[in-house]
Amino acid sequence: MDLNFSPEDIAFRDEVRTFIADNYPAGLKAKSEEGEELSKADFLSWHKTLAAKGWAGIAWPVEYGGTGWTSVQRYIFAEESARADAMRLLPFGLNMVGPVIYTFGTPEQKAKFLPRILSGDDWWCQGYSEPGAGSDLANLRTKAERFTGDDGKEYYRVNGQKTWTTLAQHADWIFCLVRTDPTVKPQEGISFLLIDMKTPGITVRPIITLGGEHEVNEVWLEDVIVPVENRVFHENKGWTCAKFLLAHERTGIAGVAASKRGVERIKTIARTEIDSFGDDAQPLLANPFFKRKVAELEIDLTALEFTELRTLAGESSGKGPGPESSLLKIKGTEIQQRITELALEAVGHYGAPYFRGFGEGDNEHPIGPDYAHRAAPTYFNMRKTSIYGGSNEIQRNIIAKMVLGL
Amino acid sequence: MDFNFTDEQTMLRDSVGRYLSDTYTFDARMAAVNGDSGWNPGVWKAFAEELGILGAPFAEAHGGLGGGAIENMIVMEEIGKALVIEPYLQTVVIGGGFLKAAGGALADAVIPQIIDGSAVIAFAYAEPQGRYNLADLRTTAKRDGAGYVLNGHKAVVYAAPWATHFIVTARTGGSVRERSGVSVFLIPANATGITRRDYPTVDGARASEVYFENVAVGADTLIGVEGEGLPLVEQVVDEATAALCAEGTGVVRKLHEGTLDYSRQRKQFGKAIGEFQVLQHRMVDMFMEVEQAVSMTLMATLRLDEPDRARHVSSAKNKISRGARFVGQNAVQIHGGIGISNELAIGHYFKRASMIESQFGDADYHLRRYESLMD
């Protein structure tokens, strides 16, 4: 047992720290600090910088262009990124469909898709949830009927609706779970399709969420024609890919590094905000009611961090991410949500003003202190974390069944 | 002991509830919220003329219905249930509260205008540095001949863009947090020297930063006694906090009802999600919070005239702030994705619940105030 980084790890940390300091786009940093909605170009600018350095495929094997980093190096990279307030790359290509393709895909699929996922040339979105298939994902109804085209080739005709599709408005491709056999048990009739968003019959409709953001969408598929070679893995075996992906998705979901930064931000706010009570005025962080909550949050975050480190250590000794990762998802999202609660509490009255954002020609400053105007929208928005990626209720079911054997 | 409403109070609740459920639909509300002015003056007119509720807590001598805090509680709970944005709390409970307590010529002049709907009042009390401390004031009112000159900045003044009058707290003496030296004024919103920066709030209302720059007003705008206004401010804010608890009760009722309905309709894994025990227990916990919100609102409202009013109001607000968070978060959670969509009412109830949590002091503030007043 050793809690300390090796000299090699420390050298790696310094390299990462220097690279981020030298290369992270200054404009992006300012935008994040102001809480501006990021454009497609913003998301891609850091992705492309990391891709050029060979650091986009953090968890990917070297043979597919990944870094081949150890779990400790991945941990260090996440820490350093959060420390510098650098954005996390979007997970849909790099952490979701990419690993599915390099694990289950054909050589042609690997050659066609993986380089463009790494480079950021293709933007991917996830077509999983449907209006009737949320927690019960296997209940999905979007159907794909196979037929032979006039050209003699095999195709699927896809009809249905996906929902809560994050950033589909920017996407070039969508990976979809579709029903290819309605006559068998729900999990046994699902296939995993890769669909070009430019295909005729696809309509993207925005869903505006509580903070006014356009982050998620409905994706409607009407007679969308997809070549059979865009199916990953066997027909009707898509659930295998889905389960693999869900386990993979959960490994980064604890968000420890970002939450550490979140706690630091709360402390900074609470040192600035003055808590006036009676004839006394002191920094909010000196208020024992508030300080205790920050302290408990830090302690819970430490517990999460060391639980994640144990999981990482298990992974590097050959165990894949198992159902224990549900613990990381539950505790990680609870902590992320508590950070937003404390931020909203900390800003007091200035949680209420709604700032529409820096539109074209509108550079009016938000109301109240700089850190205040995103507090309420972020608090509202982060309620999603205990819902998405398998709700926290579903995660508890997984632990009960898979870990406790109940 | 009697917790029953009188016949008149039951009629008041029923008529407000019926009017709002018939006309104040979610779509109608959102049309007003997203419109230029952000509210519906027609609703205000109906409150005055059709329902007569703007006179609910005022004496019959002023043209009111002769009610008081219980009538405010009844109206505010209905306001919570319909997510009403029109400023009953600011105008009738707070504006009316100050005028009723102070009496005199100003009350005689303005209360009838509140009742007939022509006066809309906003309460300019909070300041950027003051958090929830009502005495933490940098706004000053300096004697100037027969009147006063006001200077200062008031933060997040709900309903200010719609107001005909502001109730303003300012220092006529004393240091920043001193109990003495606080005075209260009722000032026309269009007085020379007042500027506003208006904005929407996250819970669908409108508010402003209000700036006073050498605003000259007459001595007749003073409410109560110069320099001795703080106890009056505390009393009226406690009355407003009890009314806000009633609004919160209405909001959490609807969050719970909506969640219960949804859990009966929404099917996953072949059955209604309300059949899953883990969600049943969650909804039972929400139900218990709703019931306790009703109880604490009633407790605080019935004790507004007692000497230890402040402690009782803080206990109610602490409980309801915590309950509003629990019920709101779990309503969203049980709804899943559609709980965070702006397109459904449930998320808007959650947003209002989240703002009620901290309005006139969050759970921590009221816990601390309760502790300071404990035996």
Side-chain angles (χ1 to χ4, degrees), chain A residues 338-353:
Chain A
R338 276 163 65 196
I339 290 169
T340 68
E341 287 170 7
L342 287 184
L344 182 55
E345 285 177 34
V347 301
H349 294 289
Y350 282 112

Side-chain angles (χ1 to χ4, degrees), chain A residues 322-333:
Chain A
E324 303 86 346
S325 59
S326 291
L327 186 165
L328 302 178
K329 197 269 174 170
I330 295 169
K331 290 295 153 191
T333 54

